Amino acid sequence: DFARLRRLMTTPVLIDLRNVYRREEIARHGFRYASVGRPGEDG
């Protein structure tokens, strides 16, 4: 539940260690997004 998670976080940052999410989807929910191991996505 991204809406609830966003409300609970002081700094809305999601670090995707398993590369499960797409940057656009997470940004739409108001998070900064960083992934590990994807070319060209350094956070």
Side-chain angles (χ1 to χ4, degrees):
D1 184 359
F2 288 118
R4 181 171 182 240
L5 184 60
R6 171 64 180 92
R7 282 193 312 272
L8 295 172
M9 295 177 75
T10 302
T11 306
V13 175
L14 189 140
I15 301 172
D16 186 1
L17 300 175
R18 296 180 64 205
N19 298 318
V20 176
Y21 302 105
R22 292 191 350 229
R23 178 183 298 273
E24 300 81 22
E25 177 187 358
I26 300 304
R28 185 177 44 146
H29 291 285
F31 289 86
R32 287 193 58 217
Y33 176 81
S35 66
V36 175
R38 282 189 187 166
E41 294 200 16
D42 57 339

